[in-house]
Amino acid sequence: MSEKLKVAIVGASGYAGGEFLRLALGHPRLEVIQVSSERYAKQPVHLVHPNLRGATKLRFSSINELSEADLLVLGLPHKESAKRFDDLSKLAPRMIDLAADFRLQDEELYERYYGEAHPRPDLLGKFVYGNPELRRNELQDAKYISGAGCIATATILGLYPLLRHAVLAKGDIIVEAKIGSSAAGNSPSSAGHHPERMGVIRTYAPTGHRHTAEINQELPGNFPIHLTATAVERVRGILVTAHAFLPDGYSDRDVMGAYRDIYENEPFIRLVTARRGIHRVPDPKILDGTNFCDIGFAVDNDTGRVVVMSAIDNLVKGTAGHALQALNISMGWDETLGLDFLGLHP
């Protein structure tokens, strides 16, 4: 197609919607025609997102004022997308939901982790889970995409090759996620949060984190996953540290072989293999604003324990960038389009 895809972003004043807006404004095949916010209706975008000052003249409108577009991107609070689906789906033939409404395909799994029945179980199979590294074939020509959860993304990408190649001994996997405040809201998704109201939130999920459901859904092998999330003094960023064990006779060569086989041609997966210097493990700080997932590991030869570390920017690779990458695939475009920022250092 030669014309740009016309995009409307619903809930664009929140972290997720605002980040998709930032990326979409720099995307050569997208044209953002409308952005909505009930709280900031009629106000200019830069009032909420000062980094976009001069980049757009758009003003927020009410959700009831939205007109037709080619694509709707939903940055609404949890359950709102499901409740409004029938009306919103009339406005565009394509939809990306950045919240958690359609990530799970099993309504029993949803009820277990969200504590209530899904409001629209008939729609659970309509959306493709937006993890390009695992669902690339399904995303081709997909009209409805569900953005993947940020902690789930970092965990899944870190562990998938080891489980896919049966490199891990059968047993429990312990996952500890250090998260910035933009991933630490009380909602299961940061889609509806407002940046100016977030600050640094000391939120902890020792057990029962809702992203565990996505991890169980996407990872092969039926390994018990035990996830703990801890908020740290950052706004952006996630560092996942996972602990598992190798079978007898396996070594770090088997681990590296699994990663290289699965991720050798992935444009946004980087293996951190340095054995000297200060950058020997993944660091979320250098990933701010990027769509990369950096993965590293270490093996304790005395015990067979393997420690996997994966880092992402939760608002890009964990939310808006991941979704944009999935959109690129669904449209048949180069999947790196609009996602070429390399980060900053120092």
Side-chain angles (χ1 to χ4, degrees):
M1 61 181 288
S2 57
E3 296 183 359
K4 290 187 176 183
L5 200 72
K6 298 185 184 300
V7 181
I9 303 174
V10 186
S13 62
Y15 268 134
E19 194 72 355
F20 196 96
L21 172 60
R22 178 183 72 84
L23 295 172
L25 290 173
H27 193 292
R29 304 297 296 272
L30 301 181
E31 179 186 357
V32 182
I33 59 172
Q34 269 189 304
V35 290
S36 84
S37 169
E38 301 311 298
R39 183 181 182 188
Y40 296 102
K42 304 188 184 305
Q43 299 298 316
V45 162
H46 70 256
L47 179 71
V48 178
H49 304 299
N51 56 315
L52 301 182
R53 184 177 286 112
T56 178
K57 296 181 179 179
L58 285 169
R59 289 176 175 265
F60 294 110
S61 61
S62 168
I63 192 171
N64 298 319
E65 299 171 330
L66 290 172
S67 55
E68 292 185 354
D70 299 318
L71 167 71
L72 279 186
V73 178
L74 309 182
L76 295 170
H78 179 55
K79 296 190 292 186
E80 286 299 310
S81 299
K83 291 177 181 178
R84 296 175 176 268
F85 176 83
D86 290 338
D87 291 332
L88 292 174
S89 61
K90 297 174 183 177
L91 297 176
R94 293 177 178 271
M95 183 182 293
I96 297 175
D97 181 37
L98 299 177
D101 292 27
F102 305 112
R103 293 172 184 170
L104 301 180
Q105 297 169 347
D106 187 317
E107 57 183 298
E108 291 184 4
L109 189 63
Y110 179 94
E111 186 169 355
R112 175 184 169 191
Y113 279 93
Y114 288 85
E116 59 185 330
H118 195 282
R120 291 294 303 273
D122 57 306
L123 298 174
L124 291 182
K126 192 176 185 69
F127 284 73
V128 177
Y129 187 70
N131 187 315
E133 287 77 16
L134 274 66
R135 301 286 192 109
R136 185 171 281 108
N137 291 338
E138 296 170 61
L139 285 168
Q140 294 175 10
D141 298 320
K143 299 296 191 296
Y144 293 90
I145 296 170
S146 174
C150 52
I151 298 174
T153 293
T155 304
I156 291 165
L157 293 179
L159 291 173
Y160 177 76
L162 306 186
L163 296 172
R164 178 70 176 80
H165 280 285
V167 172
L168 298 183
K170 194 67 179 179
D172 294 25
I173 299 175
I174 307 299
V175 178
E176 205 279 328
K178 294 180 178 63
I179 60 178
S181 61
S182 60
N186 294 323
S187 164
S189 167
S190 62
H193 293 313
H194 297 278
E196 72 276 16
R197 291 190 295 175
M198 291 291 291
V200 175
I201 303 177
R202 296 186 177 277
T203 300
Y204 302 88
T207 62
H209 195 287
R210 291 170 173 178
H211 286 196
T212 308
E214 294 173 58
I215 297 168
N216 288 334
Q217 173 179 274
E218 298 300 307
L219 289 180
N222 295 317
F223 281 59
I225 303 291
H226 306 279
L227 171 63
T228 294
T230 304
V232 297
E233 298 291 325
R234 281 183 59 80
V235 176
R236 290 177 182 257
I238 291 176
L239 176 64
V240 159
T241 305
H243 303 262
F245 287 86
L246 303 179
D248 291 342
Y250 280 63
S251 69
D252 55 356
R253 290 187 178 183
D254 299 292
V255 176
M256 181 56 75
Y259 282 120
R260 285 179 173 165
D261 180 69
I262 298 295
Y263 291 149
E264 182 178 11
N265 297 314
E266 289 295 343
F268 293 113
I269 303 290
R270 305 190 301 190
L271 300 181
V272 181
T273 60
R275 292 294 178 260
R276 59 188 180 87
I278 62 174
H279 301 292
R280 291 174 292 173
V281 297
D283 181 356
K285 182 179 179 180
I286 65 171
L287 298 177
D288 285 356
T290 82
N291 198 52
F292 292 109
C293 175
D294 283 1
I295 300 173
F297 70 91
V299 173
D300 183 343
N301 293 320
D302 292 332
T303 65
R305 180 170 63 107
V306 57
V307 180
V308 174
M309 295 154 284
S310 55
I312 62 172
D313 180 333
N314 58 290
L315 295 179
V316 189
K317 187 59 171 169
T319 307
H322 216 38
L324 183 56
Q325 184 183 354
L327 173 65
N328 285 339
I329 294 171
S330 74
M331 295 299 299
W333 301 333
D334 182 340
E335 67 184 86
T336 67
L337 210 59
L339 295 167
D340 55 358
F341 180 60
L342 295 175
L344 301 173
H345 181 265

